[in-house]
Structure formats: C-alpha cells, structure tokens
Coordinates of all heavy atoms in Angstrom, one line a residue:
M1071 N 0.6 -20.1 4.3 CA -0.7 -20.5 4.9 C -1.7 -20.3 3.7 O -2.0 -19.2 3.3 CB -0.9 -19.5 6.1 CG -2.2 -19.9 6.8 SD -2.5 -18.7 8.2 CE -1.8 -19.5 9.5
E1072 N -2.2 -21.4 3.4 CA -3.2 -21.4 2.3 C -4.5 -20.7 2.5 O -5.0 -20.0 1.7 CB -3.6 -22.9 1.9 CG -4.4 -23.0 0.6 CD -3.7 -22.5 -0.6 OE1 -2.5 -22.6 -0.7 OE2 -4.4 -22.0 -1.5
E1073 N -5.1 -20.8 3.8 CA -6.3 -20.1 4.1 C -6.1 -18.5 4.0 O -7.0 -17.9 3.6 CB -6.9 -20.5 5.4 CG -6.2 -20.1 6.6 CD -5.4 -21.3 7.2 OE1 -5.5 -22.4 6.8 OE2 -4.8 -21.1 8.3
A1074 N -4.9 -18.1 4.3 CA -4.7 -16.7 4.2 C -4.8 -16.2 2.8 O -5.4 -15.1 2.5 CB -3.3 -16.3 4.7
R1075 N -4.3 -16.9 1.8 CA -4.4 -16.5 0.4 C -5.8 -16.6 0.0 O -6.3 -15.7 -0.8 CB -3.6 -17.4 -0.5 CG -2.1 -16.9 -0.5 CD -1.3 -17.7 -1.5 NE -0.4 -18.5 -0.6 CZ -0.2 -19.8 -0.9 NH1 -0.7 -20.4 -1.9 NH2 0.5 -20.5 0.0
F1076 N -6.6 -17.6 0.4 CA -8.0 -17.7 0.0 C -8.8 -16.6 0.6 O -9.7 -16.0 -0.1 CB -8.6 -19.1 0.6 CG -9.9 -19.5 0.1 CD1 -10.0 -19.9 -1.3 CD2 -11.0 -19.4 0.9 CE1 -11.3 -20.3 -1.7 CE2 -12.3 -19.8 0.4 CZ -12.4 -20.2 -0.9
V1077 N -8.5 -16.2 1.8 CA -9.3 -15.1 2.4 C -8.8 -13.8 1.7 O -9.7 -12.9 1.5 CB -8.8 -15.1 4.0 CG1 -9.3 -13.7 4.6 CG2 -9.5 -16.3 4.7
E1078 N -7.6 -13.6 1.5 CA -7.2 -12.3 0.8 C -7.8 -12.2 -0.5 O -8.2 -11.1 -0.9 CB -5.6 -12.3 0.7 CG -5.0 -12.0 2.1 CD -3.5 -12.3 2.0 OE1 -2.9 -12.6 1.0 OE2 -2.9 -12.1 3.2
Q1079 N -7.9 -13.4 -1.3 CA -8.6 -13.3 -2.6 C -10.1 -12.9 -2.4 O -10.6 -12.2 -3.2 CB -8.5 -14.6 -3.3 CG -9.0 -14.6 -4.7 CD -8.3 -13.5 -5.6 OE1 -7.1 -13.5 -5.6 NE2 -9.1 -12.6 -6.2
H1080 N -10.7 -13.4 -1.4 CA -12.1 -13.0 -1.1 C -12.2 -11.4 -0.9 O -13.1 -10.9 -1.4 CB -12.6 -13.7 0.2 CG -14.0 -13.2 0.7 ND1 -15.1 -13.4 0.0 CD2 -14.3 -12.4 1.7 CE1 -16.1 -12.8 0.7 NE2 -15.6 -12.2 1.7
I1081 N -11.3 -10.9 -0.1 CA -11.3 -9.5 0.2 C -11.1 -8.7 -1.1 O -11.8 -7.7 -1.4 CB -10.3 -9.1 1.3 CG1 -10.7 -9.7 2.6 CG2 -10.1 -7.6 1.4 CD1 -9.6 -9.7 3.7
V1082 N -10.2 -9.2 -1.9 CA -9.9 -8.5 -3.2 C -11.1 -8.6 -4.1 O -11.5 -7.6 -4.7 CB -8.7 -9.2 -3.9 CG1 -8.6 -8.7 -5.4 CG2 -7.4 -8.8 -3.2
D1083 N -11.8 -9.7 -4.1 CA -12.9 -9.9 -4.9 C -14.1 -8.8 -4.5 O -14.8 -8.3 -5.4 CB -13.6 -11.3 -4.9 CG -12.7 -12.3 -5.6 OD1 -11.8 -12.0 -6.4 OD2 -13.0 -13.5 -5.4
C1084 N -14.3 -8.7 -3.2 CA -15.3 -7.8 -2.7 C -14.9 -6.4 -3.2 O -15.8 -5.6 -3.6 CB -15.4 -7.9 -1.2 SG -16.1 -9.4 -0.7
L1085 N -13.6 -6.0 -3.0 CA -13.3 -4.6 -3.4 C -13.4 -4.4 -4.9 O -13.8 -3.3 -5.3 CB -11.8 -4.4 -2.9 CG -11.6 -4.3 -1.4 CD1 -10.1 -4.3 -1.0 CD2 -12.3 -3.1 -0.8
R1086 N -13.0 -5.4 -5.6 CA -13.1 -5.3 -7.1 C -14.5 -5.1 -7.5 O -14.9 -4.3 -8.4 CB -12.5 -6.6 -7.7 CG -12.5 -6.5 -9.3 CD -11.8 -7.7 -9.9 NE -10.4 -7.8 -9.5 CZ -9.8 -8.9 -9.1 NH1 -10.5 -10.0 -9.1 NH2 -8.6 -8.9 -8.8
A1087 N -15.4 -5.8 -6.9 CA -16.8 -5.7 -7.2 C -17.3 -4.2 -6.9 O -18.1 -3.6 -7.7 CB -17.7 -6.7 -6.4
A1088 N -16.9 -3.7 -5.8 CA -17.3 -2.3 -5.5 C -16.8 -1.3 -6.5 O -17.5 -0.4 -6.8 CB -16.8 -2.0 -4.0
V1089 N -15.5 -1.5 -6.9 CA -15.0 -0.6 -7.9 C -15.7 -0.7 -9.2 O -16.1 0.3 -9.9 CB -13.4 -0.9 -8.1 CG1 -12.9 -0.2 -9.4 CG2 -12.7 -0.5 -6.9
V1090 N -16.0 -1.9 -9.7 CA -16.7 -2.1 -10.9 C -18.1 -1.6 -10.8 O -18.5 -0.9 -11.8 CB -16.7 -3.7 -11.3 CG1 -17.7 -4.0 -12.3 CG2 -15.4 -4.2 -11.6
E1091 N -18.7 -1.7 -9.7 CA -20.1 -1.1 -9.6 C -20.0 0.4 -9.6 O -20.9 1.0 -10.2 CB -20.7 -1.6 -8.2 CG -22.2 -1.1 -8.1 CD -22.8 -1.9 -7.0 OE1 -22.4 -1.8 -5.9 OE2 -23.9 -2.5 -7.3
A1092 N -19.0 1.0 -9.0 CA -18.9 2.4 -9.0 C -18.6 2.9 -10.4 O -19.0 4.0 -10.7 CB -17.7 2.8 -8.1
N1093 N -18.1 2.1 -11.3 CA -17.8 2.5 -12.7 C -19.1 2.2 -13.5 O -19.0 2.4 -14.7 CB -16.7 1.7 -13.3 CG -15.4 2.2 -12.7 OD1 -15.3 3.4 -12.3 ND2 -14.4 1.3 -12.6
G1094 N -20.2 1.8 -12.9 CA -21.4 1.7 -13.6 C -21.7 0.3 -14.3 O -22.6 0.1 -15.0
E1095 N -20.8 -0.7 -14.0 CA -20.9 -2.0 -14.6 C -21.7 -2.9 -13.6 O -21.1 -3.8 -13.1 CB -19.5 -2.5 -14.9 CG -18.8 -1.7 -15.9 CD -17.4 -2.2 -16.2 OE1 -17.3 -3.4 -16.7 OE2 -16.4 -1.5 -15.8
T1096 N -22.9 -2.7 -13.5 CA -23.7 -3.4 -12.5 C -23.8 -4.9 -12.8 O -23.7 -5.7 -11.8 CB -25.1 -2.9 -12.4 OG1 -25.8 -2.8 -13.7 CG2 -25.1 -1.4 -11.9
H1097 N -23.9 -5.3 -14.0 CA -24.0 -6.8 -14.3 C -22.7 -7.5 -13.9 O -22.7 -8.5 -13.2 CB -24.3 -7.1 -15.7 CG -24.4 -8.5 -16.1 ND1 -25.5 -9.2 -15.6 CD2 -23.6 -9.3 -16.8 CE1 -25.3 -10.5 -16.0 NE2 -24.2 -10.6 -16.8
K1098 N -21.5 -6.9 -14.2 CA -20.3 -7.5 -13.9 C -20.1 -7.4 -12.4 O -19.6 -8.4 -11.8 CB -19.2 -6.7 -14.6 CG -17.8 -7.3 -14.4 CD -16.7 -6.5 -15.2 CE -15.3 -7.1 -14.9 NZ -14.3 -6.4 -15.6
A1099 N -20.5 -6.4 -11.7 CA -20.4 -6.2 -10.3 C -21.2 -7.3 -9.6 O -20.8 -7.9 -8.6 CB -20.8 -4.9 -9.8
A1100 N -22.4 -7.6 -10.1 CA -23.3 -8.6 -9.5 C -22.6 -10.0 -9.7 O -22.6 -10.8 -8.7 CB -24.7 -8.7 -10.2
R1101 N -22.0 -10.3 -10.8 CA -21.3 -11.6 -11.0 C -20.1 -11.7 -10.0 O -19.9 -12.7 -9.4 CB -20.7 -11.6 -12.4 CG -20.1 -13.0 -12.7 CD -19.9 -13.1 -14.2 NE -19.3 -12.0 -14.9 CZ -18.0 -11.6 -14.9 NH1 -17.1 -12.3 -14.3 NH2 -17.7 -10.5 -15.6
L1102 N -19.3 -10.5 -9.8 CA -18.2 -10.6 -8.9 C -18.7 -10.7 -7.4 O -18.0 -11.5 -6.7 CB -17.4 -9.3 -9.0 CG -16.6 -9.1 -10.3 CD1 -16.1 -7.8 -10.4 CD2 -15.4 -10.2 -10.3
R1103 N -19.7 -10.1 -7.1 CA -20.3 -10.3 -5.7 C -20.8 -11.7 -5.5 O -20.5 -12.3 -4.4 CB -21.4 -9.3 -5.5 CG -21.0 -7.9 -5.3 CD -22.2 -7.0 -4.9 NE -21.9 -5.6 -5.1 CZ -21.0 -4.8 -4.4 NH1 -20.3 -5.4 -3.5 NH2 -20.8 -3.6 -4.7
A1104 N -21.4 -12.3 -6.6 CA -21.8 -13.7 -6.4 C -20.6 -14.6 -6.2 O -20.6 -15.6 -5.4 CB -22.6 -14.2 -7.6
Q1105 N -19.5 -14.4 -6.9 CA -18.2 -15.1 -6.8 C -17.7 -15.0 -5.3 O -17.3 -15.9 -4.7 CB -17.2 -14.6 -7.8 CG -17.5 -15.1 -9.2 CD -16.6 -14.5 -10.2 OE1 -15.8 -13.6 -9.9 NE2 -16.7 -14.9 -11.4
A1106 N -17.8 -13.8 -4.8 CA -17.2 -13.5 -3.5 C -18.1 -14.2 -2.4 O -17.6 -14.8 -1.5 CB -17.2 -12.0 -3.2
K1107 N -19.5 -14.2 -2.6 CA -20.4 -14.9 -1.8 C -20.1 -16.4 -1.8 O -20.1 -17.0 -0.7 CB -21.8 -14.6 -2.1 CG -22.2 -13.2 -1.8 CD -23.7 -13.0 -2.3 CE -24.1 -11.5 -2.0 NZ -25.4 -11.3 -2.5
L1108 N -19.9 -16.9 -3.0 CA -19.6 -18.4 -3.1 C -18.3 -18.7 -2.4 O -18.3 -19.7 -1.7 CB -19.6 -18.8 -4.6 CG -19.4 -20.3 -4.9 CD1 -20.6 -21.0 -4.2 CD2 -19.4 -20.5 -6.4
R1109 N -17.3 -17.9 -2.6 CA -16.1 -18.1 -1.9 C -16.3 -18.1 -0.4 O -15.8 -19.0 0.4 CB -15.0 -17.1 -2.3 CG -13.6 -17.3 -1.7 CD -12.7 -16.1 -2.0 NE -12.5 -16.0 -3.4 CZ -11.7 -16.7 -4.2 NH1 -10.9 -17.6 -3.7 NH2 -11.6 -16.5 -5.5
L1110 N -17.1 -17.2 0.1 CA -17.3 -17.1 1.6 C -18.1 -18.4 2.1 O -17.7 -18.8 3.1 CB -18.2 -15.8 1.9 CG -18.4 -15.5 3.3 CD1 -17.1 -15.3 4.1 CD2 -19.2 -14.2 3.5
V1111 N -19.1 -18.8 1.4 CA -19.8 -20.0 1.9 C -19.0 -21.2 1.8 O -19.3 -22.2 2.5 CB -21.2 -20.1 1.3 CG1 -22.1 -18.9 1.5 CG2 -21.1 -20.4 -0.2
C1112 N -18.0 -21.2 1.0 CA -17.1 -22.4 0.8 C -15.9 -22.4 1.8 O -15.2 -23.4 1.9 CB -16.6 -22.5 -0.6 SG -17.8 -22.9 -1.8
M1113 N -15.8 -21.4 2.6 CA -14.7 -21.2 3.5 C -14.8 -22.3 4.6 O -15.8 -22.6 5.1 CB -14.6 -19.8 4.2 CG -14.0 -18.8 3.2 SD -13.8 -17.3 4.1 CE -13.4 -16.2 2.8
T1114 N -13.6 -22.8 5.0 CA -13.5 -23.7 6.2 C -13.6 -22.8 7.4 O -13.5 -21.5 7.4 CB -12.2 -24.4 6.2 OG1 -11.1 -23.5 6.4 CG2 -12.0 -25.2 5.0
D1115 N -13.8 -23.4 8.6 CA -13.8 -22.6 9.8 C -12.5 -21.9 10.1 O -12.6 -20.7 10.5 CB -14.2 -23.6 11.0 CG -14.6 -22.7 12.2 OD1 -15.6 -22.0 12.1 OD2 -14.0 -23.0 13.3
D1116 N -11.4 -22.5 9.7 CA -10.1 -21.8 9.9 C -10.1 -20.6 9.0 O -9.5 -19.5 9.4 CB -8.9 -22.7 9.5 CG -8.7 -23.8 10.6 OD1 -9.1 -23.6 11.8 OD2 -8.0 -24.8 10.3
E1117 N -10.6 -20.7 7.8 CA -10.5 -19.5 6.9 C -11.5 -18.4 7.4 O -11.2 -17.2 7.2 CB -11.0 -19.9 5.5 CG -9.9 -20.8 4.8 CD -10.3 -21.6 3.6 OE1 -11.5 -21.9 3.5 OE2 -9.4 -22.0 2.8
V1118 N -12.6 -18.8 7.9 CA -13.5 -17.8 8.5 C -12.8 -17.1 9.7 O -12.9 -15.8 9.8 CB -14.9 -18.4 9.0 CG1 -15.7 -17.4 9.7 CG2 -15.6 -19.0 7.8
W1119 N -12.1 -17.8 10.5 CA -11.4 -17.1 11.6 C -10.3 -16.2 11.0 O -10.0 -15.1 11.6 CB -10.7 -18.2 12.5 CG -11.6 -18.6 13.6 CD1 -12.3 -19.8 13.8 CD2 -12.1 -17.8 14.7 NE1 -13.1 -19.8 14.9 CE2 -13.0 -18.6 15.5 CE3 -11.8 -16.5 15.1 CZ2 -13.6 -18.1 16.6 CZ3 -12.5 -16.0 16.3 CH2 -13.3 -16.9 17.0
E1120 N -9.6 -16.6 10.0 CA -8.6 -15.8 9.3 C -9.3 -14.5 8.8 O -8.6 -13.4 9.0 CB -7.9 -16.6 8.2 CG -6.8 -15.8 7.5 CD -5.6 -15.5 8.3 OE1 -5.4 -16.3 9.3 OE2 -4.8 -14.6 8.0
L1121 N -10.4 -14.6 8.2 CA -11.1 -13.5 7.6 C -11.5 -12.5 8.8 O -11.4 -11.4 8.7 CB -12.3 -13.9 6.9 CG -13.2 -12.8 6.3 CD1 -12.4 -11.9 5.3 CD2 -14.4 -13.3 5.5
A1122 N -12.0 -13.1 9.9 CA -12.4 -12.3 11.1 C -11.2 -11.6 11.6 O -11.3 -10.4 12.0 CB -13.0 -13.3 12.1
R1123 N -10.1 -12.3 11.7 CA -8.9 -11.6 12.2 C -8.4 -10.4 11.3 O -7.9 -9.4 11.8 CB -7.7 -12.5 12.4 CG -7.8 -13.4 13.6 CD -6.6 -14.2 13.9 NE -6.4 -15.3 12.9 CZ -7.0 -16.5 13.0 NH1 -7.7 -16.8 14.0 NH2 -6.7 -17.5 12.1
K1124 N -8.6 -10.5 10.0 CA -8.2 -9.5 9.1 C -9.2 -8.4 9.0 O -8.9 -7.3 8.5 CB -8.0 -10.1 7.7 CG -6.8 -11.0 7.5 CD -6.6 -11.5 6.1 CE -5.4 -12.3 6.0 NZ -4.2 -11.6 6.1
T1125 N -10.5 -8.6 9.5 CA -11.4 -7.6 9.3 C -11.9 -7.0 10.6 O -12.8 -6.1 10.7 CB -12.7 -8.1 8.6 OG1 -13.2 -9.3 9.2 CG2 -12.3 -8.5 7.1
C1126 N -11.4 -7.4 11.8 CA -11.7 -6.8 13.0 C -10.9 -5.6 13.3 O -9.8 -5.4 12.8 CB -11.5 -7.8 14.2 SG -9.9 -8.3 14.6
F1127 N -11.4 -4.7 14.1 CA -10.7 -3.4 14.3 C -10.7 -3.2 15.9 O -11.5 -2.4 16.4 CB -11.4 -2.2 13.6 CG -11.4 -2.5 12.2 CD1 -12.6 -2.9 11.5 CD2 -10.3 -2.2 11.4 CE1 -12.6 -3.1 10.1 CE2 -10.3 -2.4 10.0 CZ -11.4 -2.8 9.4
P1128 N -9.8 -3.9 16.5 CA -9.7 -3.7 18.0 C -9.4 -2.3 18.4 O -8.8 -1.6 17.6 CB -8.6 -4.6 18.5 CG -8.3 -5.5 17.3 CD -8.8 -4.8 16.1
P1129 N -9.8 -1.8 19.4 CA -10.6 -2.4 20.5 C -12.1 -2.4 20.2 O -12.8 -3.0 21.0 CB -10.3 -1.7 21.7 CG -10.1 -0.2 21.3 CD -9.4 -0.4 19.9
K1130 N -12.6 -1.7 19.2 CA -14.0 -1.6 19.0 C -14.7 -2.9 18.6 O -15.8 -3.1 18.8 CB -14.3 -0.5 17.9 CG -13.9 0.9 18.4 CD -14.4 1.9 17.5 CE -14.0 3.3 17.9 NZ -14.5 4.4 17.1
R1131 N -14.0 -3.7 17.9 CA -14.5 -5.0 17.3 C -13.4 -6.1 17.4 O -12.4 -6.0 16.9 CB -14.9 -4.8 15.9 CG -15.7 -5.9 15.3 CD -16.3 -5.5 14.0 NE -17.1 -6.5 13.5 CZ -17.1 -7.0 12.3 NH1 -16.2 -6.6 11.4 NH2 -17.9 -8.0 11.9
S1132 N -13.8 -7.1 18.2 CA -12.9 -8.2 18.4 C -13.0 -9.2 17.3 O -14.0 -9.2 16.5 CB -13.3 -8.9 19.7 OG -14.5 -9.6 19.6
A1133 N -12.0 -10.1 17.2 CA -12.1 -11.2 16.1 C -13.3 -12.0 16.4 O -13.9 -12.5 15.4 CB -10.8 -12.0 16.2
E1134 N -13.6 -12.3 17.7 CA -14.8 -13.1 18.0 C -16.0 -12.5 17.4 O -16.9 -13.2 16.9 CB -14.8 -13.4 19.5 CG -13.8 -14.2 20.1 CD -12.5 -13.5 20.3 OE1 -12.4 -12.2 20.2 OE2 -11.5 -14.2 20.6
D1135 N -16.2 -11.2 17.7 CA -17.4 -10.5 17.1 C -17.4 -10.6 15.6 O -18.5 -10.8 15.0 CB -17.4 -9.0 17.6 CG -17.7 -8.9 19.0 OD1 -18.2 -9.7 19.7 OD2 -17.4 -7.7 19.6
A1136 N -16.3 -10.3 14.9 CA -16.2 -10.4 13.5 C -16.6 -11.8 13.0 O -17.3 -12.0 12.1 CB -14.8 -10.0 13.0
Y1137 N -16.1 -12.8 13.7 CA -16.3 -14.2 13.4 C -17.8 -14.5 13.4 O -18.4 -15.1 12.6 CB -15.6 -15.1 14.3 CG -15.9 -16.6 14.1 CD1 -15.2 -17.4 13.1 CD2 -16.8 -17.3 14.9 CE1 -15.5 -18.6 12.9 CE2 -17.1 -18.6 14.7 CZ -16.4 -19.3 13.7 OH -16.8 -20.6 13.5
Y1138 N -18.5 -14.1 14.5 CA -19.9 -14.2 14.7 C -20.6 -13.6 13.5 O -21.5 -14.2 13.0 CB -20.4 -13.7 16.0 CG -21.9 -13.8 16.2 CD1 -22.5 -15.0 16.5 CD2 -22.6 -12.6 16.0 CE1 -23.8 -15.0 16.7 CE2 -24.0 -12.7 16.2 CZ -24.6 -13.9 16.5 OH -25.9 -14.0 16.6
D1139 N -20.3 -12.4 13.2 CA -21.0 -11.6 12.1 C -20.8 -12.3 10.8 O -21.7 -12.4 10.0 CB -20.4 -10.2 12.0 CG -20.8 -9.3 13.2 OD1 -21.8 -9.7 14.0 OD2 -20.2 -8.2 13.4
I1140 N -19.6 -12.8 10.6 CA -19.3 -13.5 9.3 C -20.1 -14.8 9.2 O -20.7 -15.1 8.2 CB -17.8 -13.8 9.1 CG1 -17.0 -12.5 8.9 CG2 -17.6 -14.8 7.9 CD1 -15.5 -12.7 9.1
Q1141 N -20.2 -15.6 10.3 CA -21.0 -16.7 10.4 C -22.5 -16.4 10.1 O -23.2 -17.2 9.4 CB -20.9 -17.5 11.7 CG -19.6 -18.1 11.9 CD -19.4 -19.3 10.9 OE1 -20.1 -19.6 10.0 NE2 -18.4 -20.1 11.2
Q1142 N -23.0 -15.3 10.6 CA -24.4 -14.9 10.3 C -24.6 -14.6 8.9 O -25.6 -15.0 8.3 CB -24.7 -13.6 11.2 CG -24.8 -13.9 12.7 CD -25.9 -14.8 13.1 OE1 -25.7 -16.0 13.1 NE2 -27.1 -14.3 13.3
T1143 N -23.6 -13.9 8.3 CA -23.6 -13.6 6.8 C -23.6 -14.9 6.0 O -24.4 -15.0 5.0 CB -22.5 -12.7 6.4 OG1 -22.5 -11.5 7.2 CG2 -22.4 -12.4 5.0
I1144 N -22.8 -15.8 6.4 CA -22.7 -17.1 5.6 C -24.0 -17.8 5.7 O -24.5 -18.4 4.7 CB -21.6 -18.0 6.2 CG1 -20.2 -17.4 5.8 CG2 -21.7 -19.5 5.8 CD1 -19.0 -18.0 6.5
T1145 N -24.6 -17.9 6.9 CA -26.0 -18.4 7.1 C -27.0 -17.8 6.2 O -27.8 -18.5 5.4 CB -26.4 -18.4 8.5 OG1 -25.5 -19.1 9.4 CG2 -27.8 -19.0 8.7
E1146 N -27.0 -16.5 6.1 CA -27.9 -15.8 5.2 C -27.6 -16.1 3.7 O -28.6 -16.3 3.0 CB -27.8 -14.2 5.5 CG -28.7 -13.4 4.6 CD -30.2 -13.7 4.8 OE1 -30.6 -14.3 5.9 OE2 -31.0 -13.2 4.0
Y1147 N -26.4 -16.1 3.4 CA -26.0 -16.4 2.0 C -26.5 -17.8 1.5 O -26.9 -18.0 0.4 CB -24.5 -16.2 1.7 CG -24.0 -14.8 1.7 CD1 -22.7 -14.5 1.7 CD2 -24.9 -13.7 1.5 CE1 -22.2 -13.2 1.7 CE2 -24.5 -12.4 1.5 CZ -23.1 -12.2 1.6 OH -22.6 -10.9 1.5
K1148 N -26.3 -18.8 2.5 CA -26.8 -20.1 2.2 C -28.2 -20.2 2.0 O -28.7 -20.9 1.2 CB -26.2 -21.1 3.3 CG -24.8 -21.3 3.2 CD -24.3 -22.3 4.4 CE -22.9 -22.6 4.3 NZ -22.4 -23.5 5.3
R1149 N -28.9 -19.4 2.9 CA -30.4 -19.4 2.9 C -30.9 -18.8 1.5 O -32.0 -19.2 1.0 CB -31.0 -18.7 4.0 CG -32.5 -18.8 4.2 CD -32.9 -17.9 5.4 NE -32.7 -16.5 5.3 CZ -33.5 -15.7 4.5 NH1 -34.4 -16.2 3.7 NH2 -33.3 -14.5 4.4
T1150 N -30.2 -17.8 1.0 CA -30.6 -17.1 -0.2 C -29.8 -17.4 -1.5 O -29.9 -16.7 -2.5 CB -30.5 -15.6 0.0 OG1 -29.2 -15.2 0.3 CG2 -31.5 -15.1 1.2
A1151 N -29.2 -18.6 -1.4 CA -28.2 -18.9 -2.5 C -29.0 -19.0 -3.9 O -28.4 -18.6 -4.9 CB -27.6 -20.3 -2.3
D1152 N -30.3 -19.4 -3.9 CA -31.0 -19.5 -5.1 C -31.2 -18.1 -5.8 O -31.5 -18.0 -6.9 CB -32.3 -20.2 -5.0 CG -33.2 -19.5 -4.0 OD1 -32.7 -18.8 -3.1 OD2 -34.5 -19.7 -4.2
Q1153 N -31.0 -17.1 -5.0 CA -31.2 -15.7 -5.5 C -30.0 -15.1 -6.1 O -30.0 -14.2 -7.0 CB -31.7 -14.7 -4.4 CG -33.0 -15.2 -3.9 CD -33.4 -14.4 -2.6 OE1 -32.8 -13.3 -2.3 NE2 -34.3 -14.9 -1.8
W1154 N -28.8 -15.5 -5.7 CA -27.5 -14.9 -6.2 C -26.7 -15.8 -7.0 O -25.7 -15.4 -7.6 CB -26.7 -14.3 -5.0 CG -26.4 -15.2 -3.9 CD1 -27.1 -15.3 -2.7 CD2 -25.3 -16.1 -3.7 NE1 -26.5 -16.3 -1.9 CE2 -25.4 -16.7 -2.5 CE3 -24.2 -16.4 -4.6 CZ2 -24.5 -17.6 -2.1 CZ3 -23.3 -17.3 -4.1 CH2 -23.4 -17.9 -2.9
L1155 N -26.9 -17.2 -6.9 CA -26.1 -18.0 -7.8 C -26.6 -18.0 -9.2 O -27.7 -18.0 -9.5 CB -26.3 -19.5 -7.2 CG -25.4 -19.9 -6.0 CD1 -25.7 -21.3 -5.7 CD2 -24.0 -19.8 -6.4
D1156 N -25.6 -17.9 -10.1 CA -25.9 -18.0 -11.5 C -26.3 -19.4 -12.0 O -25.5 -20.3 -11.8 CB -24.7 -17.4 -12.3 CG -25.0 -17.3 -13.8 OD1 -26.2 -17.4 -14.2 OD2 -24.0 -17.2 -14.5
K1157 N -27.5 -19.5 -12.5 CA -27.9 -20.9 -12.9 C -27.6 -21.2 -14.3 O -28.1 -22.2 -14.8 CB -29.4 -21.0 -12.5 CG -29.6 -20.8 -11.0 CD -30.9 -21.4 -10.6 CE -31.0 -21.1 -9.1 NZ -31.9 -21.7 -8.4
S1158 N -27.0 -20.2 -15.0 CA -26.7 -20.5 -16.4 C -25.5 -21.3 -16.6 O -24.7 -21.6 -15.8 CB -26.6 -19.2 -17.2 OG -25.5 -18.4 -16.6

C-alpha cells in the first residue's frame, strides 16, 4: 500500500525534526518540519485517512476525530505556506 509508506515517512520526518531540534540544530529542524508540512499538504484523502488511523488512540480519540484534526492542520498549513516554505 503506497499511501502507508508515504504516511509512515511523514511520521518519521516529524520525529526526526523533534530529535534534531532537541540536539540544538534549530535551522535543520525547521527545514525538516517544513518538509513534513509539505508532505502533509500534498497527501491525498486516502493518505490523510491512513495517517488518522495511525495516530488515533481509541477509545479516547477516533480515526474520524484524528482525520478532522489533520484536515484542520492542513488548512492552516496551506494558509500559512508563505511563512514556512523555503523560497531559496
């Protein structure tokens, strides 16, 4: 399943950025976070559902709730893309 690999890479990118930032490499972490954001806004609806299924924690959080939250995040990232996309 191709969307699963794409989603898993997104999760890995987010974790990698957190580790890099914890090591004090803020510029590199910002670049990694921008890559993760770009991957997220480029996801298909099927990939967003896959991410929601992988990040929900039933019974406290359903896949539908996670999907809605991810869609809200995607909307915000699209709205603020000029702030986090590297223009160089």
